[in-house]
Amino acid sequence: MFALYLIMLVLVLLKPVEAFAPELAGLRIAMVLSLLVFALALGSAMRTGEMAIRGRHVLVLSGLTASVVMSQVAQGWLGGASQAFTDFMPSVLLFLTTVMVVTTMSRLKATCTLIVLCMVALSIAGIAAYHWGFMVQDLVIREGSSSAVDHLAVYDGTLAPAHDRTGTSLWRIRSWGFLSDPNDLAQMIVVALTVMFGARMDGQGVRNLLRIWLPAAILVYALWLTRSRGGMLGLGVVLAYAMLQRTGPVRAGIVASLFALAAIATGATGGRGYSADEASAGGRIDAWSEGLTMLGHNPVFGVGYGNFTQHHAYTAHNSFVLAFSELGLVGYMFWLALLVLAFRELAVARRMSEPESDEARWARLLQFSLVGFLVCAVFLSRSFVPTLYLLLGLCYACWHCAVKASLARDWEAPIEDGAPGPALLAEAPVRWVGLTVAALPASILVLYAVVRLQHMGGG
C-alpha cells in the first residue's frame, strides 16, 4: 500500500503522463491509482484502527467540504455544487490518504524524501529548458515583448531562453499540472528546501554534501529561475524564522536583510519590485479589495467556490482572500482551523518529543515548510490545491508519530520542575478553537488595513 502511495505521489507531482504521453491523459491513470490507494488505506485504517487524525480533524475537514458545496447552493446553482464537490475531491482524497498511510516516522521520512527528489527532478528539467531548450515550450514562459524571439540564439532547433540578451523579456521556468505556474513551482521548491534538511547527518560532511547541499543548490537556482517574488520572500521568511528560534531576533534580522540584498543584487525577481506601486503588486491589492467587497455582500457562504473570477477580472492572488470571498465566514473558519491545528499540533509534537529525536526534528522542519508555503500563499490563490493538503497531512502525521513515541516511553520517567510528563502531554487536548476564532477577524482586519493604506496612499 505504501509503495502504491509513493507511486501515486510521483504521478501527482511529476505528471509524467501529461509531459510525455498526453494521449493517455483520458485514462486518468493518476485518479484511478489515487482511488485504489485510498480504498486500500481506508481498509487498513479500519482493520488496525490507526490513522494520523482524530475527530477534530474529521470535523474541520467535513465542515470545509460542506462549505464548498453550500457556497454554490447559496448561489442557487445545484449543478455548481456538484461540480465544486468534484473539483475539491482530489485535494480531500490526497489529504485523507496521507493521514491513513503515513503513520510511522519511517514512512514520513520516505514521503518527504520522495517530495524532495521530485522537486529536484522538476528543477533539473526547468534548468535544462532554460539553458538548452529541453521541452522549452512546456517548461518556460515568457513575459514581455514578443520581438525578443527574433534575437534569441537557436539550440538544436529550439529557443534557448538563456541566450536572450535583449533584456525585453522575462523568462520564468515552470512545470506541468498544478505546478504549471512559476509561482506554484517556487512554492513547492521552498517546501522541499526545508524538509530536505531532515536527511542531514552530524559529522558526515561528504554525505551531507551529496544528500543536502548539492540538491539544495539545484533547488535554489531553480527557485531563482522561476523569478517568483513570493517564492524568494517565502524562503527568506523561513530562514529568518529558523534563525529567530535558534539565535534570537538580531541575527534573524541580519540574515533576512542579507538574503533580501542578495535577491535584489542577483536579479532574483526579474527586476520587479515588492512595492504596492508596482503594477502587478498593485493589481493584487485591487483583487484583495474586491475580495473584501465580496465578503461584505455575501458574509455567510461567500460568492461560491470557484466564482471569484466571475466578480473580478483576475483571481484573488491571495489564498486567505480567496477562501473567505468564495466560502464566506463559515467556510473560512474551517479552512483556517486546518492551518491552526497543524501549527498547534506541530508545536505540541516538539514539546512532547525528546530534543534531538526524529519527531522533534521533523516537527520543526514541517513547521518551517508550512510557514514558507503560507508566505507564498499570501500572493497566490492556492486555498484548495492538492499540495496544501498533502503538506497538512504530513504535519498531522508528524504529530501522530510524536504522540506514539511519547506514549511508548517510560511513564515512570522522572519529571523535573513539575513539568507534565510526555504521556500527559500526548493525552492533553490541543487548544485550537480559541486561536482559530481569534485568527479569523485578525487576518481579515490585516488585509483590510493593507488595502486601506494602499488606497490612502493614492494607489
Side-chain angles (χ1 to χ4, degrees):
M1 179 183 64
F2 183 60
L4 287 175
Y5 171 77
L6 295 181
I7 294 172
M8 178 195 73
L9 284 186
V10 170
L11 294 179
V12 168
L13 293 174
L14 295 186
K15 296 289 183 180
V17 174
E18 182 176 332
F20 302 106
E23 65 277 5
L24 300 178
L27 299 178
R28 306 294 296 274
I29 296 174
M31 179 57 71
V32 171
L33 183 58
S34 298
L35 292 173
L36 173 62
V37 177
F38 174 75
L40 293 173
L42 182 61
S44 176
M46 294 177 65
R47 184 176 64 255
T48 63
E50 182 178 16
M51 61 178 66
I53 56 173
R54 304 293 187 267
R56 57 181 176 269
H57 306 101
V58 176
L59 172 65
V60 171
L61 183 65
S62 300
L64 177 60
T65 305
S67 298
V68 166
V69 175
M70 283 302 302
S71 69
Q72 287 286 6
V73 172
Q75 301 301 313
W77 187 27
L78 295 180
S82 174
Q83 184 62 48
F85 180 80
T86 302
D87 290 345
F88 188 47
M89 270 302 99
S91 296
V92 174
L93 286 177
L94 182 57
F95 172 84
L96 291 175
T97 304
T98 298
V99 295
M100 290 190 292
V101 172
V102 185
T103 54
T104 65
M105 280 307 303
S106 60
R107 289 185 176 184
L108 178 64
K109 293 178 184 178
T111 303
C112 291
T113 299
L114 180 69
I115 291 173
V116 171
L117 291 175
C118 287
M119 297 315 301
V120 169
L122 293 179
S123 296
I124 291 174
I127 292 170
Y130 180 79
H131 283 282
W132 303 294
F134 168 75
M135 299 186 73
V136 65
Q137 293 84 359
D138 294 332
L139 298 178
V140 180
I141 63 172
R142 174 174 48 80
E143 299 176 2
S145 171
S146 60
S147 63
V149 174
D150 298 332
H151 302 283
L152 292 179
V154 176
Y155 181 82
D156 288 347
T158 60
L159 299 176
H163 297 296
D164 180 13
R165 299 293 184 266
T166 64
T168 58
S169 293
L170 177 64
W171 298 90
R172 308 176 67 189
I173 67 168
R174 59 175 182 169
S175 185
W176 296 276
F178 51 77
L179 299 180
S180 59
D181 187 295
N183 298 306
D184 289 306
L185 179 60
Q187 188 177 46
M188 281 305 294
I189 288 176
V190 171
V191 171
L193 278 167
T194 53
V195 299
M196 71 184 303
F197 282 90
R200 184 179 60 84
M201 303 174 66
D202 294 333
Q204 300 289 332
V206 176
R207 288 189 178 183
N208 286 337
L209 175 65
L210 297 176
R211 291 156 59 101
I212 304 296
W213 300 112
L214 181 58
I218 294 172
L219 290 172
V220 169
Y221 183 53
L223 177 63
W224 187 85
L225 289 179
T226 64
R227 309 294 189 178
S228 172
R229 291 170 292 183
M232 296 304 295
L233 182 61
L235 181 58
V237 170
V238 167
L239 290 174
Y241 183 58
M243 290 297 295
L244 179 65
Q245 295 200 1
R246 293 178 63 89
T247 63
V250 176
R251 292 187 180 181
I254 293 173
V255 168
S257 300
L258 291 175
F259 181 84
L261 290 174
I264 294 172
T266 59
T269 64
R272 299 169 301 161
Y274 285 90
S275 168
D277 294 329
E278 191 265 334
S280 88
R284 281 178 166 85
I285 294 179
D286 289 340
W288 301 358
S289 178
E290 289 297 323
L292 289 166
T293 301
M294 294 177 204
L295 177 64
H297 292 160
N298 302 271
V300 180
F301 293 114
V303 298
Y305 177 87
N307 288 352
F308 189 96
T309 52
Q310 294 184 14
H311 299 265
H312 186 60
Y314 305 102
T315 188
H317 290 295
N318 184 301
S319 297
F320 297 85
V321 172
L322 186 71
F324 66 61
S325 61
E326 291 193 345
L327 304 186
L329 294 176
V330 175
Y332 184 54
M333 178 184 65
F334 289 117
W335 185 80
L336 270 183
L338 283 175
L339 304 181
V340 171
L341 268 171
F343 275 111
R344 291 294 300 148
E345 291 182 352
L346 288 174
V348 171
R350 293 179 64 177
R351 286 172 53 207
M352 74 171 65
S353 303
E354 296 178 348
E356 300 303 322
S357 65
D358 283 344
E359 291 79 14
R361 170 186 288 188
W362 282 95
R364 182 172 63 253
L365 292 174
L366 286 169
Q367 240 181 4
F368 295 161
S369 292
L370 193 53
V371 167
F373 189 98
L374 292 178
V375 169
C376 297
V378 171
F379 307 99
L380 297 171
S381 301
R382 302 299 180 262
S383 314
F384 313 109
V385 294
T387 45
L388 172 59
Y389 296 87
L390 171 62
L391 180 56
L392 289 173
L394 294 176
C395 292
Y396 298 144
C398 184
W399 169 81
H400 174 73
C401 293
V403 169
K404 289 203 304 181
S406 179
L407 292 175
R409 291 199 293 270
D410 185 5
W411 286 19
E412 301 300 325
I415 300 175
E416 299 179 0
D417 300 327
L424 294 177
L425 278 174
E427 295 174 346
V430 177
R431 294 180 174 86
W432 60 277
V433 176
L435 189 56
T436 301
V437 172
L440 189 148
S443 58
I444 295 175
L445 287 173
V446 167
L447 288 164
Y448 177 77
V450 171
V451 171
R452 290 299 301 165
L453 287 173
Q454 169 66 4
H455 289 168
M456 289 172 61

